[in-house]
Amino acid sequence: MALDQASVISEWVLPAAVCAPVTWICLVFRFREDGRLLGTARSSALALCVVLWTSGMAALASGVLLPLTPSVPPMAVGVATGWGVSPRGRGGERNGGGPAMAVLTLGNSLLLHQLALRLRTDRADWCERMAEGFRDCWHLDYYADDIRSHLLLRVDVQGRTNRARTLAKREINERHKEVRAAAQRWITVETKVKKAARLQDRLPEPDEIRQVKRAFGEAEQYLRHLLELAHTHGKRSDGVKILAIKERYLVPPGMDEALGGGPGAPDTDPQGVSRR
């Protein structure tokens, strides 16, 4: 009995125990640019399913194959199976490792595909929540400025190469410029529509309102594009900071003119700090 228990532990439990952390490390590496594995309950559940399924395959492969190939260490089976979820490039395909890993990680393709979709959905939902709620592009523009500063302060981290820092800063600045340009287009369109309505003593026409809304929607889209960088490269705690920044610029109805919103607004933010 003792021998059987030792055999079960060495041939089934040990490979699964070794496979679990290897799988998790590979998942983090595989999806490092796609989002946060523990960002939501659904993404966490899918990531856990991948780890459990892969560990189960490692235990099954070890228990079935080791009696036929006793020269293979059980830990090697666990490591190889967990490594199978890591992204494989051309090198892995050339050396013939692809088919073997596909067998050892049987069923993981569907789980990994669902996990990738969930991470993209989670990121899109997060960016939408952080970008919605603004009454005009004045405050949206102020918000984008603070997001840019927030991101730039987190670029110069230890271990990142100078080239990586330069590329990160360039991407942040380019996406911020897109937000500012879109916000300026909205300001131009809204000013033109209000001026025409005031001169003709009428309300804005449906087509004019549609132009203003379309310009505002474009600015929101570019803001979400900027926020993707905060979600992809930031920590989970950064979400609290970004939400606090957003709440500074969410104003109740009727307060826009008092806080600098609308056409002809001064070049100051809601705290009265000059933007020039």
Side-chain angles (χ1 to χ4, degrees):
M1 180 64 69
L3 181 60
D4 292 340
Q5 289 180 348
S7 177
V8 169
I9 292 175
S10 64
E11 295 182 6
W12 295 78
V13 178
L14 181 60
V18 172
C19 179
V22 174
T23 301
W24 178 255
I25 294 173
C26 291
L27 281 178
V28 172
F29 178 75
R30 182 183 185 121
F31 295 108
R32 67 191 184 281
E33 300 292 338
D34 295 322
R36 303 166 185 169
L37 293 175
L38 301 179
T40 63
R42 291 186 176 181
S43 62
S44 301
L46 282 170
L48 179 60
C49 287
V50 173
V51 173
L52 293 178
W53 182 271
T54 309
S55 299
M57 287 296 101
L60 181 62
S62 177
V64 172
L65 296 179
L66 282 185
L68 303 177
T69 56
S71 60
V72 179
M75 292 182 62
V77 177
V79 172
T81 307
W83 190 260
V85 303
S86 63
R88 296 186 298 276
R90 295 179 180 178
E93 295 174 0
R94 283 197 302 265
N95 61 26
M101 289 300 100
V103 173
L104 289 176
T105 58
L106 181 65
N108 265 0
S109 297
L110 178 60
L111 289 173
L112 290 172
H113 177 68
Q114 292 300 318
L115 179 57
L117 292 179
R118 172 47 52 187
L119 291 177
R120 295 191 190 104
T121 301
D122 290 346
R123 181 172 60 185
D125 291 342
W126 185 88
C127 292
E128 287 178 2
R129 288 196 304 271
M130 292 299 177
E132 66 184 7
F134 294 97
R135 294 178 54 79
D136 54 56
C137 278
W138 293 98
H139 298 92
L140 184 149
D141 190 19
Y142 301 145
Y143 176 53
D145 285 349
D146 282 1
I147 294 299
R148 171 181 174 272
S149 300
H150 173 84
L151 293 174
L152 288 176
L153 287 174
R154 285 154 177 78
V155 168
D156 297 323
V157 296
Q158 187 176 5
R160 179 175 289 176
T161 63
N162 290 332
R163 183 174 183 274
R165 296 178 185 182
T166 301
L167 292 176
K169 291 179 180 179
R170 181 185 304 169
E171 187 174 19
I172 293 169
N173 288 323
E174 287 177 353
R175 295 195 184 191
H176 175 254
K177 287 180 181 178
E178 292 174 344
V179 179
R180 298 219 65 184
Q184 185 60 50
R185 286 193 293 271
W186 173 87
I187 294 170
T188 302
V189 172
E190 193 209 33
T191 302
K192 179 180 177 181
V193 168
K194 286 189 173 182
K195 182 178 180 181
R198 184 170 59 251
L199 291 176
Q200 299 176 22
D201 194 20
R202 61 174 175 81
L203 294 175
E205 297 179 354
D207 185 62
E208 293 175 329
I209 296 175
R210 186 162 50 251
Q211 293 178 22
V212 174
K213 289 184 176 181
R214 184 180 297 114
F216 186 79
E218 183 180 359
E220 280 188 323
Q221 178 60 34
Y222 281 117
L223 176 60
R224 287 192 288 268
H225 196 216
L226 175 63
L227 285 166
E228 285 182 354
L229 296 178
H231 184 272
T232 301
H233 303 292
K235 299 179 179 179
R236 294 181 64 185
S237 58
D238 288 348
V240 178
K241 174 65 175 177
I242 292 175
L243 182 60
I245 295 173
K246 176 185 175 181
E247 290 176 347
R248 286 191 231 159
Y249 303 109
L250 292 179
V251 296
M255 295 294 293
D256 301 70
E257 295 297 332
L259 295 178
D267 290 331
T268 57
D269 66 15
Q271 283 74 41
V273 179
S274 175
R275 290 163 50 81
R276 291 180 177 177

